mmCIF file of all heavy atoms in Angstrom:
data_model
loop_
_atom_site.group_PDB
_atom_site.id
_atom_site.type_symbol
_atom_site.label_atom_id
_atom_site.label_comp_id
_atom_site.label_asym_id
_atom_site.label_seq_id
_atom_site.Cartn_x
_atom_site.Cartn_y
_atom_site.Cartn_z
ATOM 1 N N ILE A 22 128.380 77.307 21.277
ATOM 2 C CA ILE A 22 127.086 77.714 21.807
ATOM 3 C C ILE A 22 126.104 78.024 20.693
ATOM 4 O O ILE A 22 124.939 77.697 20.769
ATOM 5 C CB ILE A 22 127.255 78.927 22.738
ATOM 6 C CG1 ILE A 22 128.061 78.487 23.950
ATOM 7 C CG2 ILE A 22 125.924 79.486 23.174
ATOM 8 C CD1 ILE A 22 128.437 79.604 24.858
ATOM 9 N N ASP A 26 120.729 76.620 12.460
ATOM 10 C CA ASP A 26 119.486 75.852 12.376
ATOM 11 C C ASP A 26 119.313 75.348 10.952
ATOM 12 O O ASP A 26 120.255 75.364 10.160
ATOM 13 C CB ASP A 26 118.295 76.699 12.842
ATOM 14 C CG ASP A 26 118.105 77.962 12.023
ATOM 15 O OD1 ASP A 26 118.856 78.152 11.047
ATOM 16 O OD2 ASP A 26 117.210 78.751 12.353
ATOM 17 N N ARG A 37 123.668 79.286 28.320
ATOM 18 C CA ARG A 37 124.946 79.835 28.747
ATOM 19 C C ARG A 37 125.342 81.000 27.857
ATOM 20 O O ARG A 37 125.087 80.987 26.656
ATOM 21 C CB ARG A 37 126.027 78.771 28.664
ATOM 22 C CG ARG A 37 126.374 78.195 30.000
ATOM 23 C CD ARG A 37 127.565 77.324 29.889
ATOM 24 N NE ARG A 37 127.120 76.041 29.356
ATOM 25 C CZ ARG A 37 127.911 75.127 28.862
ATOM 26 N NH1 ARG A 37 129.207 75.337 28.806
ATOM 27 N NH2 ARG A 37 127.436 74.011 28.413
ATOM 28 N N GLY A 57 119.030 112.159 13.340
ATOM 29 C CA GLY A 57 120.436 112.007 13.698
ATOM 30 C C GLY A 57 121.192 113.307 13.850
ATOM 31 O O GLY A 57 122.151 113.385 14.595
ATOM 32 N N PRO A 143 120.956 128.098 60.684
ATOM 33 C CA PRO A 143 120.329 127.143 59.759
ATOM 34 C C PRO A 143 118.863 127.471 59.517
ATOM 35 O O PRO A 143 118.175 127.988 60.379
ATOM 36 C CB PRO A 143 120.492 125.801 60.481
ATOM 37 C CG PRO A 143 120.684 126.144 61.905
ATOM 38 C CD PRO A 143 121.333 127.487 61.950
ATOM 39 N N PHE A 149 116.123 116.578 67.531
ATOM 40 C CA PHE A 149 116.916 115.508 68.140
ATOM 41 C C PHE A 149 118.378 115.533 67.695
ATOM 42 O O PHE A 149 119.216 114.874 68.287
ATOM 43 C CB PHE A 149 116.302 114.129 67.836
ATOM 44 C CG PHE A 149 116.305 113.761 66.387
ATOM 45 C CD1 PHE A 149 117.407 113.169 65.806
ATOM 46 C CD2 PHE A 149 115.183 113.998 65.589
ATOM 47 C CE1 PHE A 149 117.412 112.822 64.470
ATOM 48 C CE2 PHE A 149 115.182 113.659 64.255
ATOM 49 C CZ PHE A 149 116.303 113.065 63.693
#
Side-chain angles (χ1 to χ4, degrees):
I22 294 173
D26 59 4
R37 257 189 280 165
F149 64 85

